[in-house]
Amino acid sequence: MPDFPIFPEQASTIGAQIDWIFFTLIGLSLLFGLPVVGLIITFAIRYRRGSRANRVGRLDESNKLEFTWTFIPFVVAMAIFGWSAVVYYNYATPPGNALEIYVIGKQWMWYAQHPSGKTEINALHVPLGRPVKLIMTSQDVIHSFYIPAFRVKQDVLPGRYTTLWFEATKTGDYHLFCAEYCGTDHAKMTGTVTVMEPDAYQAWLGGVAEDESMADAGQRLFQQRGCMACHNDSPNSIGPNLAGTFGEPVQLTSGETIMVDEAYLLESIRKPQEKVVAGYAPLMPTYQGILTEQEILQLVEYIKSLESR
């Protein structure tokens, strides 16, 4: 790939933080490693068999020396650990106002759907200067969503949701790769991330007026599948009312309390017997293999929107 440099430019807010850690580790490795290699070579030559080097006054033990070369690396390691933990927290915690886009990985393509309903394959359009949160799952095997210019990478797993966020700082087109070997045509599972000015992004989103939003598509599925027969606000409903539940804690029949998020909704659609809400019987059938990943994502988006409907 002739247009892909060994060290790509930075194009996201997290990029500089990742690069500083990378270069600091490289620098420290050279700082500590080169003297050790140099001393090994020097001593090997100087004290080789048959040499006339002075071996009198050999130093067998020095507590001061032992403490120094133990304490200094310990302090450096703890400082790197604390610094990296802060950067990882920033890397793993998307802002609350992030634009959410759903991504499905499957052999050998990336499918993305925006909340407005617009879809794209092996391409991702995002606005400049706005946090973007990708909610991802796989339809078949393990993939890994990797944008080198943004310094972000996240595994995409079948049967689970994973998230990844970034904020682009430069307009342009950037490489998108699958960084996990996923089969014969893994090398062809590439794409382009296009960063656009916010106005241009809005114009691009509105370019296909016939698209149905994800929430609307999810509502249509919700009605077609008869979900509302069980999940409604009736006091006699046999399933919990889903309105306003996303992002809130819910108690289960096991006594455990968990947060209603994308992962919980996905599991509840595929394996409804795993985590049953307290006060309800485990009557819901599984939809694993009945709904596609895209339809499940649409249902999740609809349930998330119920709070404002």
Side-chain angles (χ1 to χ4, degrees):
M1 189 173 294
D3 61 338
F4 183 67
I6 295 177
F7 202 84
E9 63 173 325
Q10 295 174 5
S12 74
T13 54
I14 198 71
Q17 300 177 54
I18 301 292
D19 285 355
W20 271 110
I21 291 179
F22 175 76
F23 285 120
T24 299
L25 291 176
I26 293 293
L28 288 173
S29 298
L30 293 175
L31 179 65
F32 286 98
L34 288 180
V36 171
V37 172
L39 288 173
I40 290 174
I41 295 174
T42 300
F43 291 154
I45 296 174
R46 185 174 181 180
Y47 295 105
R48 68 188 185 280
R49 178 181 295 180
S51 74
R52 297 180 178 178
N54 183 9
R55 293 178 170 80
V56 177
R58 186 178 65 182
L59 182 63
D60 291 327
E61 182 176 346
S62 171
N63 291 335
K64 185 181 294 184
L65 191 58
E66 293 281 353
F67 176 80
T68 300
W69 68 35
T70 302
F71 183 71
I72 291 178
F74 172 76
V75 172
V76 172
M78 289 299 100
I80 294 293
F81 171 78
W83 181 19
S84 301
V86 172
V87 173
Y88 179 76
Y89 178 82
N90 296 333
Y91 180 89
T93 309
N97 63 340
L99 171 67
E100 295 184 348
I101 300 175
Y102 289 91
V103 174
I104 299 173
K106 53 185 175 182
Q107 293 173 322
W108 288 273
M109 57 174 278
W110 296 107
Y111 171 90
Q113 185 164 21
H114 298 253
S116 65
K118 188 148 188 170
T119 62
E120 45 190 338
I121 293 176
N122 290 338
L124 180 65
H125 289 73
V126 297
L128 176 71
R130 180 175 177 185
V132 175
K133 176 184 175 184
L134 304 181
I135 304 170
M136 305 185 291
T137 190
S138 170
Q139 188 168 302
D140 36 50
V141 299
I142 299 176
H143 302 282
S144 188
F145 194 93
Y146 178 38
I147 310 174
F150 294 174
R151 309 293 195 267
V152 294
K153 182 170 75 71
Q154 176 62 54
D155 284 353
V156 182
L157 310 174
R160 288 180 55 185
Y161 273 116
T162 55
T163 60
L164 175 71
W165 86 273
F166 57 80
E167 180 178 334
T169 56
K170 298 177 183 176
T171 58
D173 294 332
Y174 302 98
H175 291 287
L176 163 64
F177 295 110
C178 176
E180 181 77 28
Y181 180 72
C182 56
T184 306
D185 287 335
H186 160 72
K188 297 178 181 178
M189 194 169 172
T190 62
T192 302
V193 178
T194 301
V195 181
M196 312 172 75
E197 293 288 348
D199 291 343
Y201 174 72
Q202 289 301 325
W204 176 84
L205 274 183
V208 184
E210 64 270 21
D211 278 345
E212 183 181 34
S213 76
M214 289 190 69
D216 289 342
Q219 183 180 24
R220 176 172 49 77
L221 272 172
F222 199 80
Q223 295 170 344
Q224 288 176 347
R225 295 287 177 177
C227 306
M228 55 197 312
C230 301
H231 297 285
N232 55 59
D233 57 0
S234 169
N236 299 320
S237 66
I238 60 176
N241 182 14
L242 301 176
T245 58
F246 186 82
E248 300 293 331
V250 62
Q251 187 171 10
L252 307 179
T253 53
S254 62
E256 180 186 6
T257 299
I258 64 171
M259 187 68 68
V260 178
D261 55 13
E262 290 93 350
Y264 170 73
L265 293 176
L266 171 67
E267 184 178 18
S268 296
I269 294 172
R270 285 177 166 160
K271 301 175 182 177
Q273 313 297 325
E274 293 288 330
K275 295 175 181 174
V276 179
V277 176
Y280 295 93
L283 300 176
M284 179 172 164
T286 178
Y287 284 88
Q288 187 162 13
I290 298 175
L291 298 175
T292 65
E293 294 295 338
Q294 181 183 0
E295 290 174 328
I296 292 175
L297 294 178
Q298 291 168 345
L299 280 174
V300 169
E301 188 64 20
Y302 170 63
I303 294 171
K304 291 168 64 177
S305 74
L306 285 175
E307 187 175 11
S308 58
R309 291 192 171 202

